[in-house]
Amino acid sequence: MLDKVSRPAGSTPLLTVAEARLDAQVDGDMATLLGWVESYLMREHPDLGRTGAVCPFTKQAAKLDTVRLAICNAGPSDEDGAFALMRRSFGELEKIPHKPGMAHFRTVIVGFPNCAGDGVAMLQRVQARHKFYSLSRFRMIGFMHATNEAPGLWNPDFRPLRAPLPVLAIRYLVEQDAPFAARHPLLMVPFLLKFRLAGAKRLLTYARSAK
């Protein structure tokens, strides 16, 4: 088993995929996070209900080198540390270099290996505390963990938001998020504000396909 690398929550570095591969050689938690990203998020799944990767956004972002990964050692009692890291990650998201027209593929993925079990509720609070902060900036903050019961968009029996360790991820709101906007009224307003007619057409297309 690989040794863990101990880092305070406030000093958690955000790594490129290439840097994460090197880090994974000495950090078992990073190896788990990176393995999940590359072998699950970026791959097809027989139960997904559609063709393509589980998360096409992440797959494309990895190709563009706009993904940043981190392992945070915060535990269930360190909500302030986890919150501070995620808030900082919104700023770091804006600093990720990108090709012209590809800014919306920037994303940050943070694993919290010490938050399995009792720590899940704490991370849910961290996510909730960022809900309006993220939506007002046209960003998405998602939470994945081993027992996540959120159903899939295309196959309600599939659980796409399950991960081997708790994960919080930040990315840009994109037109392809129409299915999420259709299911979550709070997301509908920023989605239509940002994408207007194109967004409305996406919503209509999804509504017709879902019937």
Side-chain angles (χ1 to χ4, degrees):
M1 181 178 292
L2 300 177
D3 294 331
K4 290 186 177 182
V5 177
S6 179
R7 303 185 184 98
S11 63
T12 302
L14 301 180
L15 308 178
T16 66
V17 171
E19 291 169 338
R21 289 191 182 118
L22 292 175
D23 200 56
Q25 296 177 21
V26 295
D27 185 344
D29 294 323
M30 178 58 80
T32 298
L33 177 64
L34 182 62
W36 173 72
V37 168
E38 294 188 317
S39 66
Y40 175 72
L41 288 185
M42 298 183 190
R43 300 287 182 86
E44 296 183 358
H45 194 288
D47 298 326
L48 184 58
R50 60 163 173 77
T51 59
V54 171
C55 183
F57 184 98
T58 303
K59 185 175 182 178
Q60 182 64 20
K63 290 180 180 178
L64 296 169
D65 194 29
T66 56
V67 176
R68 296 295 180 268
L69 303 170
I71 290 294
C72 179
N73 289 325
S77 63
D78 192 11
E79 182 172 337
D80 288 344
F83 178 88
L85 172 60
M86 297 314 298
R87 180 58 60 91
R88 175 168 68 86
S89 295
F90 277 91
E92 294 298 324
L93 187 73
E94 308 304 315
K95 300 176 185 178
I96 297 173
H98 60 87
K99 295 179 179 180
M102 298 296 175
H104 59 288
F105 280 109
R106 293 179 287 188
T107 187
V108 173
I109 302 172
V110 183
F112 294 83
N114 297 330
C115 287
D118 293 342
V120 167
M122 181 273 281
L123 292 176
Q124 287 174 328
R125 291 193 298 272
V126 170
Q127 181 192 28
R129 290 171 64 186
H130 279 100
K131 184 175 294 184
F132 292 104
Y133 183 88
S134 61
L135 291 179
S136 66
R137 290 161 176 78
F138 304 110
R139 307 289 182 263
M140 300 275 278
I141 179 168
F143 182 35
M144 290 70 76
H145 57 89
T147 57
N148 195 311
E149 288 296 324
L153 291 171
W154 307 104
N155 176 8
D157 295 324
F158 183 51
R159 298 294 180 265
L161 300 184
R162 288 187 175 174
L165 74 171
V167 173
L168 282 170
I170 300 169
R171 65 170 175 82
Y172 282 65
L173 181 66
V174 295
E175 279 189 40
Q176 290 78 9
D177 286 321
F180 295 105
R183 291 192 174 194
H184 302 284
L186 192 63
L187 181 58
M188 183 75 74
V189 173
F191 182 81
L192 290 175
L193 280 174
K194 184 172 179 62
F195 301 113
R196 300 183 182 274
L197 182 59
K201 289 180 178 178
R202 289 266 187 179
L203 288 169
L204 182 60
T205 299
Y206 171 72
R208 287 171 175 170
S209 67
K211 289 182 180 180

